[in-house]
Amino acid sequence: MSATWVLGASGVAVTEEEGFRVVVRLDRLVNVLGGYGVRLCCCPVPRSAELRGVVLRDTTDGRPEVGDVYLAVGAESVAEAVHAAVSARAVVVLVRGGEELLADAVATGEAEGIAVALADPALSWSQLAGVVYGLVLEGRETESGRGPTDLFALADSLAAATGGAVTIEDRVSRVLAYSGPQQEADAARLETILGRQVPAWVRELFDAAGVPAHLLASDEPLFVPGDPARGLTGRMVVAVRVGRELLGTVWVTCPEPLRGDRRTALTDGARIVALHLLRSRASADLERQVESEWVIRLLEGTADAATVISQLGLPPGPARVVAVRAHVGDERHAAVLLAFEQATTGFGWSRPGRSALSGNSVYTILPGDGVAAARDWLAALEAALPGHVSTSAGISAAAEPADLPAARQEADECLALHEGRSDDAPAYDESWDEILLQRLRTAARVGRASARGPVADLRRHDAEHGTGYVATLRAWLEAQGDLAEAGERLGVHGNTVRNRLRKMAEVTSLDLDDAAKRVAMTIDLAATVSDSYNR
């Protein structure tokens, strides 16, 4: 069975032949739509059901249509929508409405054996259809270069209709597309396009003009006066929104507010941009799912690791695994989804690694054996995240594809080590000794430390009598029996160490002449004693 592999926008290879295809299941559709205010009311069918077709209700056409997802446009009741969906042999029906329809949706869906999803009335049918069609029908194609291309063409069309230069940005002011040519662009626009993000000084001006508050509250365009002294001409901005969620903005340079047809073109254009962003997000979300599944497959171990590496678009040879967690203040892991989205943003050929989200960690496989490249990648990820987000990370040693499960464990252990300190993310091949001691201390914390023996006896004696025998034993062992060096570590004379050793022998059987017992006591101390010495 042969298949042709195509590199998608996220770098994931997707087949075009019947031998393999990306499967979109009901569970995936529910999860994606949930982000836009769509609620699954009842689900008497398996959430693993595959979705291959979409049916849009058409009251003017009596011809029967069959599809797995039924969009009940214009249905006057939940019952009407469900019965029509059953006739179309659908797996799930989407109905627009508020909480008042919930009881009917549950009762009717359960009775007819079909899943019913209730969409927030703020979400228009055109927006809802954009998500569903993009995910179900275009999933196999992914966004293979079309999304950005379409947005640039749309920016040019909007520029022609409004008479100004157009910039389309996401919700954090990153440039998604812009119109051309740029001969008449002001300094702010040029800096925005070159940096692919609105510069800080421009954002400060917009904040002072109340732009963020307006975008959150209104779908009407807002005129922002220029600041010629700083190279900023006037602009109109309009929100790109889906339901209640702000996806981005459309900006048009203009010396005065747009009116009439030009203003209408801007508002209509924002709605079209929303549909493009929905399709792009649905496609990118599907690619992230496929990429994540393949990366996890590598990290958990697979016999065809070399093949999966190739399917992910990664070069053969050694690679490192980087584990990352992201936090917001005291809220642990609050920004892990943001970190995953950032790690998987961009086209495959512009991203060095491939990532997966597992639990509360992001795992990225970075090709090459250099630790500097891994730290550079981490620095770029941290710089792209909002300033209030903090990260901790761990880097494995270089590993061949078949050894990536072991590399994942190394990355996890380095991550745990980094969470307890504030320096650079540790790499396993540089910090293996600290990792080993960390393993010993972890074993000790779960009750696997020896409760009997010389070290335990000396610890009890120190607790009862205020002596420093445990610290003395550790110093002597680390000094390999050199009394003077042990004394320096403790800040006492070598003779004091000798006297302590003699008294310690009265408390427990040390057998310091036995090499095996010295090794055992060194391990016991490393697992249960802190780095500081107690005198």
Side-chain angles (χ1 to χ4, degrees):
M1 186 177 296
S2 62
T4 302
W5 291 89
V6 179
L7 189 66
S10 72
V12 178
V14 182
T15 59
E16 292 181 319
E17 304 299 328
E18 293 184 354
F20 178 85
R21 71 181 186 89
V22 175
V23 176
V24 179
R25 303 184 187 277
L26 175 59
D27 183 70
R28 192 62 184 168
L29 179 68
V30 169
N31 289 339
V32 171
L33 290 178
Y36 302 108
V38 178
R39 176 180 181 182
L40 184 65
C41 303
C42 68
C43 190
V45 298
R47 290 183 63 145
S48 59
E50 295 185 13
L51 307 178
R52 298 182 177 85
V54 181
V55 176
L56 187 69
R57 181 175 181 269
D58 186 354
T59 58
T60 65
D61 191 341
R63 291 175 297 180
E65 285 194 79
V66 175
D68 298 306
V69 184
Y70 189 86
L71 304 180
V73 180
E76 296 183 359
S77 67
V78 173
E80 179 185 347
V82 169
H83 293 151
V86 170
S87 299
R89 300 200 292 274
V91 173
V92 59
V93 56
L94 273 66
V95 183
R96 279 181 70 227
E99 191 74 16
E100 70 278 1
L101 300 182
L102 179 59
D104 287 345
V106 173
T108 311
E110 293 288 352
E112 297 292 344
I114 186 172
V116 181
L118 198 60
D120 189 325
L123 189 67
S124 70
W125 275 117
S126 61
Q127 294 170 339
L128 190 59
V131 178
V132 175
Y133 276 93
L135 188 63
V136 176
L137 299 184
E138 300 178 6
R140 283 173 289 175
E141 301 173 38
T142 73
E143 65 176 337
S144 302
R146 297 172 306 163
T149 302
D150 286 349
L151 279 180
F152 277 97
L154 181 55
D156 286 335
S157 297
L158 281 174
T162 60
V166 171
T167 305
I168 300 173
E169 300 169 8
D170 67 10
R171 57 188 173 188
V172 291
S173 301
R174 290 178 299 206
V175 176
L176 300 175
Y178 51 87
S179 62
Q182 309 303 324
Q183 288 89 339
E184 299 180 1
D186 59 21
R189 176 174 167 81
L190 287 175
E191 189 174 344
T192 297
I193 291 173
L194 291 175
R196 304 297 294 175
Q197 187 162 6
V198 178
W201 68 271
V202 177
R203 289 200 302 271
E204 291 174 0
L205 290 175
F206 293 158
D207 290 348
V211 173
H214 174 85
L215 293 174
L216 288 175
S218 175
D219 291 332
E220 291 299 315
L222 172 70
F223 179 70
V224 183
D227 187 347
R230 304 193 65 178
L232 179 71
T233 59
R235 280 161 167 71
M236 287 204 79
V237 59
V238 65
V240 176
R241 200 184 314 276
V242 173
R244 293 179 172 84
E245 182 182 2
L246 181 67
L247 295 185
T249 52
V250 178
W251 296 80
V252 180
T253 59
C254 51
E256 57 186 23
L258 297 177
R259 293 180 175 84
D261 291 343
R262 293 188 175 186
R263 182 186 177 92
T264 301
L266 177 59
T267 55
D268 291 346
R271 298 188 185 98
I272 299 173
V273 170
L275 295 178
H276 280 267
L277 294 185
L278 279 174
R279 187 179 77 173
S280 176
R281 177 186 281 193
S283 297
D285 186 70
L286 180 63
E287 288 192 1
R288 286 189 176 101
Q289 176 197 5
V290 177
E291 176 176 325
S292 189
E293 288 174 353
W294 280 349
V295 169
I296 290 175
R297 183 174 166 185
L298 285 171
L299 297 181
E300 291 181 346
T302 177
D304 59 344
T307 301
V308 177
I309 284 285
S310 176
Q311 290 170 347
L312 282 168
L314 293 174
R320 289 181 183 261
V321 176
V322 181
V324 179
R325 289 177 183 164
H327 321 290
V328 177
D330 294 332
E331 298 182 35
R332 307 298 289 172
H333 321 306
V336 66
L337 289 175
L338 189 60
F340 177 61
E341 182 177 353
Q342 184 59 45
T344 52
T345 294
F347 288 85
W349 51 86
S350 69
R351 289 195 291 120
R354 300 292 180 263
S355 302
L357 179 62
S358 180
N360 54 19
S361 301
V362 176
Y363 294 95
T364 298
I365 299 175
L366 291 173
D369 56 5
V371 69
R375 288 201 171 105
D376 288 345
W377 180 85
L378 274 173
L381 176 67
E382 293 170 356
L385 294 173
H388 64 281
V389 175
S390 61
T391 62
S392 49
I395 306 169
S396 76
E400 294 297 326
D403 298 324
L404 288 174
R408 175 187 183 173
Q409 180 179 348
E410 294 173 355
D412 281 335
E413 291 179 312
C414 288
L415 171 60
L417 189 64
H418 192 219
E419 288 187 323
R421 62 194 204 188
S422 58
D423 54 354
D424 289 340
Y428 185 82
D429 40 346
E430 297 174 350
S431 306
W432 65 268
D433 54 330
E434 296 179 77
I435 296 297
L436 177 58
L437 294 178
Q438 181 176 261
R439 290 175 186 170
L440 294 172
R441 292 174 187 133
T442 300
R445 282 195 296 270
V446 296
R448 300 186 65 180
S450 175
R452 301 167 61 114
V455 175
D457 291 341
L458 294 176
R459 185 177 296 109
R460 280 192 291 270
H461 190 276
D462 285 349
E464 294 172 1
H465 303 282
T467 51
Y469 290 166
V470 172
T472 300
L473 176 61
R474 179 177 179 180
W476 186 86
L477 289 170
E478 291 184 345
Q480 300 183 47
D482 188 317
L483 293 173
E485 183 179 340
E488 289 181 7
R489 289 171 179 264
L490 296 167
V492 298
H493 195 276
N495 289 336
T496 302
V497 177
R498 180 185 289 108
N499 291 334
R500 287 184 184 178
L501 291 174
R502 177 177 52 78
K503 293 178 181 179
M504 290 157 59
E506 297 173 0
V507 174
T508 187
S509 176
L510 290 176
D511 291 332
L512 296 178
D513 293 332
D514 188 324
K517 286 185 172 58
R518 293 198 302 270
V519 171
M521 287 187 287
T522 300
I523 294 174
D524 196 347
L525 287 164
T528 57
V529 181
S530 67
D531 291 334
S532 61
Y533 293 107
N534 297 315
R535 297 184 185 177

